[in-house]
mmCIF file of all heavy atoms in Angstrom:
data_model
loop_
_atom_site.group_PDB
_atom_site.id
_atom_site.type_symbol
_atom_site.label_atom_id
_atom_site.label_comp_id
_atom_site.label_asym_id
_atom_site.label_seq_id
_atom_site.Cartn_x
_atom_site.Cartn_y
_atom_site.Cartn_z
ATOM 1 N N THR A 1 76.846 -25.184 -87.697
ATOM 2 C CA THR A 1 77.086 -23.915 -87.006
ATOM 3 C C THR A 1 77.746 -24.137 -85.653
ATOM 4 O O THR A 1 77.757 -25.244 -85.110
ATOM 5 C CB THR A 1 75.762 -23.163 -86.795
ATOM 6 O OG1 THR A 1 74.915 -23.943 -85.943
ATOM 7 C CG2 THR A 1 75.054 -22.912 -88.124
ATOM 8 N N ASP A 2 78.272 -23.037 -85.105
ATOM 9 C CA ASP A 2 78.974 -23.081 -83.817
ATOM 10 C C ASP A 2 78.083 -22.703 -82.632
ATOM 11 O O ASP A 2 78.570 -22.562 -81.517
ATOM 12 C CB ASP A 2 80.170 -22.109 -83.837
ATOM 13 C CG ASP A 2 81.357 -22.649 -84.616
ATOM 14 O OD1 ASP A 2 81.358 -23.848 -84.929
ATOM 15 O OD2 ASP A 2 82.274 -21.862 -84.923
ATOM 16 N N TRP A 3 76.793 -22.533 -82.857
ATOM 17 C CA TRP A 3 75.949 -21.978 -81.800
ATOM 18 C C TRP A 3 75.819 -22.928 -80.609
ATOM 19 O O TRP A 3 75.600 -22.487 -79.481
ATOM 20 C CB TRP A 3 74.557 -21.655 -82.323
ATOM 21 C CG TRP A 3 74.461 -21.092 -83.709
ATOM 22 C CD1 TRP A 3 73.508 -21.389 -84.642
ATOM 23 C CD2 TRP A 3 75.311 -20.129 -84.342
ATOM 24 N NE1 TRP A 3 73.708 -20.698 -85.795
ATOM 25 C CE2 TRP A 3 74.824 -19.904 -85.644
ATOM 26 C CE3 TRP A 3 76.460 -19.435 -83.943
ATOM 27 C CZ2 TRP A 3 75.404 -19.025 -86.543
ATOM 28 C CZ3 TRP A 3 77.052 -18.554 -84.840
ATOM 29 C CH2 TRP A 3 76.534 -18.349 -86.116
ATOM 30 N N GLN A 4 75.919 -24.224 -80.885
ATOM 31 C CA GLN A 4 75.840 -25.221 -79.813
ATOM 32 C C GLN A 4 76.912 -26.278 -80.043
ATOM 33 O O GLN A 4 77.162 -26.670 -81.183
ATOM 34 C CB GLN A 4 74.486 -25.944 -79.805
ATOM 35 C CG GLN A 4 73.266 -25.126 -79.544
ATOM 36 C CD GLN A 4 72.050 -26.032 -79.535
ATOM 37 O OE1 GLN A 4 71.754 -26.695 -78.539
ATOM 38 N NE2 GLN A 4 71.321 -26.066 -80.640
ATOM 39 N N ARG A 5 77.491 -26.766 -78.959
ATOM 40 C CA ARG A 5 78.388 -27.912 -79.084
ATOM 41 C C ARG A 5 77.570 -29.109 -79.582
ATOM 42 O O ARG A 5 76.449 -29.324 -79.153
ATOM 43 C CB ARG A 5 79.030 -28.248 -77.738
ATOM 44 C CG ARG A 5 79.998 -27.186 -77.247
ATOM 45 C CD ARG A 5 80.724 -27.645 -75.996
ATOM 46 N NE ARG A 5 81.600 -26.598 -75.484
ATOM 47 C CZ ARG A 5 82.827 -26.367 -75.921
ATOM 48 N NH1 ARG A 5 83.321 -27.128 -76.897
ATOM 49 N NH2 ARG A 5 83.566 -25.394 -75.408
ATOM 50 N N GLY A 6 78.173 -29.867 -80.458
ATOM 51 C CA GLY A 6 77.489 -31.052 -80.958
ATOM 52 C C GLY A 6 76.729 -30.847 -82.249
ATOM 53 O O GLY A 6 76.149 -31.801 -82.773
ATOM 54 N N ASN A 7 76.740 -29.625 -82.801
ATOM 55 C CA ASN A 7 76.000 -29.409 -84.050
ATOM 56 C C ASN A 7 76.572 -30.217 -85.213
ATOM 57 O O ASN A 7 75.844 -30.622 -86.120
ATOM 58 C CB ASN A 7 75.978 -27.922 -84.407
ATOM 59 C CG ASN A 7 74.946 -27.150 -83.604
ATOM 60 O OD1 ASN A 7 74.134 -27.746 -82.881
ATOM 61 N ND2 ASN A 7 74.956 -25.828 -83.718
ATOM 62 N N PHE A 8 77.875 -30.432 -85.196
ATOM 63 C CA PHE A 8 78.484 -31.293 -86.217
ATOM 64 C C PHE A 8 77.817 -32.664 -86.214
ATOM 65 O O PHE A 8 77.425 -33.193 -87.266
ATOM 66 C CB PHE A 8 79.982 -31.423 -85.945
ATOM 67 C CG PHE A 8 80.697 -32.453 -86.768
ATOM 68 C CD1 PHE A 8 81.052 -32.200 -88.079
ATOM 69 C CD2 PHE A 8 81.027 -33.697 -86.222
ATOM 70 C CE1 PHE A 8 81.731 -33.154 -88.841
ATOM 71 C CE2 PHE A 8 81.705 -34.649 -86.970
ATOM 72 C CZ PHE A 8 82.053 -34.378 -88.287
ATOM 73 N N TRP A 9 77.643 -33.233 -85.026
ATOM 74 C CA TRP A 9 77.077 -34.576 -84.921
ATOM 75 C C TRP A 9 75.583 -34.588 -85.222
ATOM 76 O O TRP A 9 75.053 -35.582 -85.711
ATOM 77 C CB TRP A 9 77.366 -35.149 -83.536
ATOM 78 C CG TRP A 9 78.836 -35.284 -83.319
ATOM 79 C CD1 TRP A 9 79.641 -34.485 -82.560
ATOM 80 C CD2 TRP A 9 79.695 -36.253 -83.933
ATOM 81 N NE1 TRP A 9 80.951 -34.885 -82.656
ATOM 82 C CE2 TRP A 9 81.013 -35.978 -83.492
ATOM 83 C CE3 TRP A 9 79.490 -37.324 -84.799
ATOM 84 C CZ2 TRP A 9 82.106 -36.734 -83.892
ATOM 85 C CZ3 TRP A 9 80.574 -38.082 -85.205
ATOM 86 C CH2 TRP A 9 81.872 -37.781 -84.749
ATOM 87 N N ARG A 10 74.916 -33.478 -84.977
ATOM 88 C CA ARG A 10 73.498 -33.386 -85.349
ATOM 89 C C ARG A 10 73.344 -33.393 -86.867
ATOM 90 O O ARG A 10 72.399 -33.989 -87.402
ATOM 91 C CB ARG A 10 72.886 -32.136 -84.722
ATOM 92 C CG ARG A 10 72.845 -32.198 -83.183
ATOM 93 C CD ARG A 10 72.198 -30.973 -82.548
ATOM 94 N NE ARG A 10 72.246 -31.132 -81.086
ATOM 95 C CZ ARG A 10 73.175 -30.602 -80.295
ATOM 96 N NH1 ARG A 10 74.143 -29.842 -80.831
ATOM 97 N NH2 ARG A 10 73.161 -30.803 -78.988
ATOM 98 N N ALA A 11 74.277 -32.731 -87.553
ATOM 99 C CA ALA A 11 74.258 -32.771 -89.017
ATOM 100 C C ALA A 11 74.520 -34.186 -89.528
ATOM 101 O O ALA A 11 73.872 -34.650 -90.472
ATOM 102 C CB ALA A 11 75.292 -31.796 -89.580
ATOM 103 N N ILE A 12 75.461 -34.870 -88.896
ATOM 104 C CA ILE A 12 75.755 -36.256 -89.274
ATOM 105 C C ILE A 12 74.512 -37.118 -89.113
ATOM 106 O O ILE A 12 74.168 -37.934 -89.977
ATOM 107 C CB ILE A 12 76.908 -36.817 -88.415
ATOM 108 C CG1 ILE A 12 78.209 -36.032 -88.616
ATOM 109 C CG2 ILE A 12 77.113 -38.311 -88.689
ATOM 110 C CD1 ILE A 12 78.757 -36.054 -90.001
ATOM 111 N N ARG A 13 73.821 -36.941 -87.996
ATOM 112 C CA ARG A 13 72.614 -37.735 -87.723
ATOM 113 C C ARG A 13 71.589 -37.569 -88.834
ATOM 114 O O ARG A 13 70.972 -38.556 -89.279
ATOM 115 C CB ARG A 13 72.016 -37.295 -86.388
ATOM 116 C CG ARG A 13 70.685 -37.942 -86.014
ATOM 117 C CD ARG A 13 70.855 -39.399 -85.606
ATOM 118 N NE ARG A 13 70.640 -40.340 -86.710
ATOM 119 C CZ ARG A 13 70.756 -41.662 -86.582
ATOM 120 N NH1 ARG A 13 71.115 -42.199 -85.435
ATOM 121 N NH2 ARG A 13 70.541 -42.454 -87.602
ATOM 122 N N GLU A 14 71.392 -36.346 -89.290
ATOM 123 C CA GLU A 14 70.404 -36.126 -90.345
ATOM 124 C C GLU A 14 70.829 -36.797 -91.647
ATOM 125 O O GLU A 14 70.003 -37.372 -92.366
ATOM 126 C CB GLU A 14 70.190 -34.636 -90.568
ATOM 127 C CG GLU A 14 69.149 -34.345 -91.651
ATOM 128 C CD GLU A 14 68.790 -32.880 -91.732
ATOM 129 O OE1 GLU A 14 68.353 -32.319 -90.705
ATOM 130 O OE2 GLU A 14 68.944 -32.303 -92.834
ATOM 131 N N LEU A 15 72.112 -36.738 -91.950
ATOM 132 C CA LEU A 15 72.585 -37.299 -93.216
ATOM 133 C C LEU A 15 72.512 -38.820 -93.252
ATOM 134 O O LEU A 15 72.287 -39.407 -94.312
ATOM 135 C CB LEU A 15 74.022 -36.841 -93.481
ATOM 136 C CG LEU A 15 74.189 -35.366 -93.862
ATOM 137 C CD1 LEU A 15 75.651 -34.979 -93.871
ATOM 138 C CD2 LEU A 15 73.557 -35.093 -95.224
ATOM 139 N N ILE A 16 72.714 -39.474 -92.128
ATOM 140 C CA ILE A 16 72.695 -40.941 -92.143
ATOM 141 C C ILE A 16 71.297 -41.496 -91.916
ATOM 142 O O ILE A 16 71.101 -42.715 -91.978
ATOM 143 C CB ILE A 16 73.665 -41.525 -91.098
ATOM 144 C CG1 ILE A 16 73.268 -41.104 -89.679
ATOM 145 C CG2 ILE A 16 75.093 -41.117 -91.408
ATOM 146 C CD1 ILE A 16 74.167 -41.685 -88.624
ATOM 147 N N GLY A 17 70.322 -40.624 -91.678
ATOM 148 C CA GLY A 17 68.944 -41.075 -91.550
ATOM 149 C C GLY A 17 68.722 -41.937 -90.325
ATOM 150 O O GLY A 17 69.208 -41.634 -89.235
ATOM 151 N N THR A 18 68.032 -43.031 -90.522
ATOM 152 C CA THR A 18 67.657 -43.888 -89.389
ATOM 153 C C THR A 18 68.690 -44.970 -89.086
ATOM 154 O O THR A 18 68.491 -45.775 -88.173
ATOM 155 C CB THR A 18 66.309 -44.565 -89.681
ATOM 156 O OG1 THR A 18 66.431 -45.352 -90.878
ATOM 157 C CG2 THR A 18 65.214 -43.521 -89.864
ATOM 158 N N ALA A 19 69.786 -44.990 -89.810
ATOM 159 C CA ALA A 19 70.791 -46.046 -89.610
ATOM 160 C C ALA A 19 71.343 -46.014 -88.188
ATOM 161 O O ALA A 19 71.587 -44.947 -87.625
ATOM 162 C CB ALA A 19 71.926 -45.869 -90.606
ATOM 163 N N ASP A 20 71.530 -47.187 -87.604
ATOM 164 C CA ASP A 20 72.175 -47.270 -86.288
ATOM 165 C C ASP A 20 73.488 -48.044 -86.357
ATOM 166 O O ASP A 20 74.119 -48.318 -85.340
ATOM 167 C CB ASP A 20 71.243 -47.890 -85.253
ATOM 168 C CG ASP A 20 70.875 -49.331 -85.582
ATOM 169 O OD1 ASP A 20 71.302 -49.823 -86.657
ATOM 170 O OD2 ASP A 20 70.169 -49.957 -84.780
ATOM 171 N N ARG A 21 73.912 -48.367 -87.596
ATOM 172 C CA ARG A 21 75.161 -49.095 -87.818
ATOM 173 C C ARG A 21 75.837 -48.491 -89.043
ATOM 174 O O ARG A 21 75.265 -48.531 -90.139
ATOM 175 C CB ARG A 21 74.877 -50.577 -88.024
ATOM 176 C CG ARG A 21 76.115 -51.448 -88.233
ATOM 177 C CD ARG A 21 75.698 -52.925 -88.295
ATOM 178 N NE ARG A 21 76.830 -53.816 -88.403
ATOM 179 C CZ ARG A 21 77.348 -54.230 -89.571
ATOM 180 N NH1 ARG A 21 76.812 -53.822 -90.721
ATOM 181 N NH2 ARG A 21 78.396 -55.042 -89.588
ATOM 182 N N ILE A 22 77.029 -47.934 -88.875
ATOM 183 C CA ILE A 22 77.711 -47.273 -89.989
ATOM 184 C C ILE A 22 79.183 -47.637 -90.004
ATOM 185 O O ILE A 22 79.727 -48.152 -89.028
ATOM 186 C CB ILE A 22 77.561 -45.740 -89.914
ATOM 187 C CG1 ILE A 22 78.303 -45.182 -88.686
ATOM 188 C CG2 ILE A 22 76.094 -45.323 -89.911
ATOM 189 C CD1 ILE A 22 78.423 -43.670 -88.696
ATOM 190 N N GLY A 23 79.842 -47.333 -91.105
ATOM 191 C CA GLY A 23 81.282 -47.505 -91.209
ATOM 192 C C GLY A 23 82.003 -46.248 -90.759
ATOM 193 O O GLY A 23 81.538 -45.127 -91.014
ATOM 194 N N ILE A 24 83.127 -46.426 -90.094
ATOM 195 C CA ILE A 24 83.952 -45.304 -89.636
ATOM 196 C C ILE A 24 85.417 -45.634 -89.888
ATOM 197 O O ILE A 24 85.763 -46.739 -90.296
ATOM 198 C CB ILE A 24 83.718 -44.983 -88.133
ATOM 199 C CG1 ILE A 24 83.967 -46.231 -87.262
ATOM 200 C CG2 ILE A 24 82.301 -44.473 -87.921
ATOM 201 C CD1 ILE A 24 85.353 -46.403 -86.740
ATOM 202 N N GLU A 25 86.291 -44.665 -89.621
ATOM 203 C CA GLU A 25 87.729 -44.875 -89.731
ATOM 204 C C GLU A 25 88.297 -45.143 -88.342
ATOM 205 O O GLU A 25 88.472 -44.229 -87.545
ATOM 206 C CB GLU A 25 88.404 -43.647 -90.338
ATOM 207 C CG GLU A 25 87.979 -43.355 -91.765
ATOM 208 C CD GLU A 25 88.574 -42.061 -92.269
ATOM 209 O OE1 GLU A 25 89.747 -42.076 -92.709
ATOM 210 O OE2 GLU A 25 87.876 -41.032 -92.221
ATOM 211 N N GLY A 26 88.589 -46.392 -88.073
ATOM 212 C CA GLY A 26 89.083 -46.765 -86.757
ATOM 213 C C GLY A 26 90.427 -46.162 -86.408
ATOM 214 O O GLY A 26 90.759 -46.019 -85.229
ATOM 215 N N ASP A 27 91.195 -45.783 -87.420
ATOM 216 C CA ASP A 27 92.505 -45.177 -87.166
ATOM 217 C C ASP A 27 92.432 -43.659 -87.082
ATOM 218 O O ASP A 27 93.462 -42.989 -86.980
ATOM 219 C CB ASP A 27 93.517 -45.598 -88.230
ATOM 220 C CG ASP A 27 93.081 -45.225 -89.647
ATOM 221 O OD1 ASP A 27 91.975 -44.679 -89.813
ATOM 222 O OD2 ASP A 27 93.851 -45.496 -90.592
ATOM 223 N N HIS A 28 91.220 -43.097 -87.098
ATOM 224 C CA HIS A 28 91.085 -41.647 -87.044
ATOM 225 C C HIS A 28 90.055 -41.163 -86.039
ATOM 226 O O HIS A 28 90.199 -40.084 -85.467
ATOM 227 C CB HIS A 28 90.741 -41.088 -88.432
ATOM 228 C CG HIS A 28 90.871 -39.603 -88.537
ATOM 229 N ND1 HIS A 28 89.818 -38.733 -88.348
ATOM 230 C CD2 HIS A 28 91.954 -38.828 -88.796
ATOM 231 C CE1 HIS A 28 90.240 -37.491 -88.479
ATOM 232 N NE2 HIS A 28 91.531 -37.518 -88.761
ATOM 233 N N LEU A 29 89.007 -41.923 -85.812
ATOM 234 C CA LEU A 29 87.944 -41.507 -84.898
ATOM 235 C C LEU A 29 88.450 -41.579 -83.459
ATOM 236 O O LEU A 29 88.798 -42.643 -82.959
ATOM 237 C CB LEU A 29 86.720 -42.406 -85.074
ATOM 238 C CG LEU A 29 85.412 -41.878 -84.485
ATOM 239 C CD1 LEU A 29 84.875 -40.730 -85.340
ATOM 240 C CD2 LEU A 29 84.376 -42.991 -84.394
ATOM 241 N N THR A 30 88.490 -40.446 -82.772
ATOM 242 C CA THR A 30 88.991 -40.402 -81.400
ATOM 243 C C THR A 30 87.954 -40.953 -80.428
ATOM 244 O O THR A 30 86.777 -41.111 -80.758
ATOM 245 C CB THR A 30 89.337 -38.964 -80.995
ATOM 246 O OG1 THR A 30 88.123 -38.191 -80.973
ATOM 247 C CG2 THR A 30 90.334 -38.342 -81.967
ATOM 248 N N LEU A 31 88.386 -41.204 -79.194
ATOM 249 C CA LEU A 31 87.450 -41.658 -78.166
ATOM 250 C C LEU A 31 86.377 -40.607 -77.917
ATOM 251 O O LEU A 31 85.202 -40.942 -77.711
ATOM 252 C CB LEU A 31 88.208 -41.966 -76.875
ATOM 253 C CG LEU A 31 89.115 -43.197 -76.902
ATOM 254 C CD1 LEU A 31 89.911 -43.295 -75.609
ATOM 255 C CD2 LEU A 31 88.304 -44.468 -77.123
ATOM 256 N N GLN A 32 86.767 -39.339 -77.925
ATOM 257 C CA GLN A 32 85.800 -38.265 -77.725
ATOM 258 C C GLN A 32 84.768 -38.243 -78.856
ATOM 259 O O GLN A 32 83.555 -38.108 -78.612
ATOM 260 C CB GLN A 32 86.522 -36.923 -77.658
ATOM 261 C CG GLN A 32 85.622 -35.731 -77.378
ATOM 262 C CD GLN A 32 86.398 -34.425 -77.374
ATOM 263 O OE1 GLN A 32 87.225 -34.186 -78.269
ATOM 264 N NE2 GLN A 32 86.161 -33.581 -76.380
ATOM 265 N N ALA A 33 85.242 -38.391 -80.090
ATOM 266 C CA ALA A 33 84.329 -38.418 -81.222
ATOM 267 C C ALA A 33 83.434 -39.653 -81.184
ATOM 268 O O ALA A 33 82.247 -39.587 -81.517
ATOM 269 C CB ALA A 33 85.117 -38.365 -82.528
ATOM 270 N N ARG A 34 84.005 -40.767 -80.762
ATOM 271 C CA ARG A 34 83.197 -42.000 -80.657
ATOM 272 C C ARG A 34 82.060 -41.808 -79.660
ATOM 273 O O ARG A 34 80.929 -42.248 -79.894
ATOM 274 C CB ARG A 34 84.105 -43.159 -80.215
ATOM 275 C CG ARG A 34 83.372 -44.468 -79.941
ATOM 276 C CD ARG A 34 82.797 -45.054 -81.214
ATOM 277 N NE ARG A 34 82.038 -46.266 -80.969
ATOM 278 C CZ ARG A 34 80.729 -46.310 -80.726
ATOM 279 N NH1 ARG A 34 80.037 -45.175 -80.676
ATOM 280 N NH2 ARG A 34 80.112 -47.451 -80.541
ATOM 281 N N SER A 35 82.333 -41.149 -78.557
ATOM 282 C CA SER A 35 81.303 -40.890 -77.554
ATOM 283 C C SER A 35 80.209 -39.990 -78.116
ATOM 284 O O SER A 35 79.012 -40.241 -77.915
ATOM 285 C CB SER A 35 81.935 -40.257 -76.318
ATOM 286 O OG SER A 35 80.957 -39.932 -75.360
ATOM 287 N N ALA A 36 80.606 -38.924 -78.846
ATOM 288 C CA ALA A 36 79.620 -38.018 -79.439
ATOM 289 C C ALA A 36 78.797 -38.719 -80.502
ATOM 290 O O ALA A 36 77.592 -38.466 -80.644
ATOM 291 C CB ALA A 36 80.332 -36.805 -80.032
#
């Protein structure tokens, strides 16, 4: 939802569970997204 900034990343957190190490797309993930 759009009610709060960062809700996209909160959804991601729930889906990946307790993992603290994941794979990403280095040619697509922006610095802003990396920070979030």
Side-chain angles (χ1 to χ4, degrees):
T1 63
D2 283 347
W3 322 141
Q4 297 182 81
R5 292 187 183 276
N7 281 352
F8 170 78
W9 298 104
R10 294 182 181 97
I12 298 298
R13 175 73 266 179
E14 181 172 303
L15 288 171
I16 62 178
T18 59
D20 63 357
R21 181 175 184 269
I22 66 169
I24 56 91
E25 296 175 82
D27 58 358
H28 192 266
L29 196 73
T30 65
L31 290 174
Q32 183 182 45
R34 175 67 183 91
S35 177

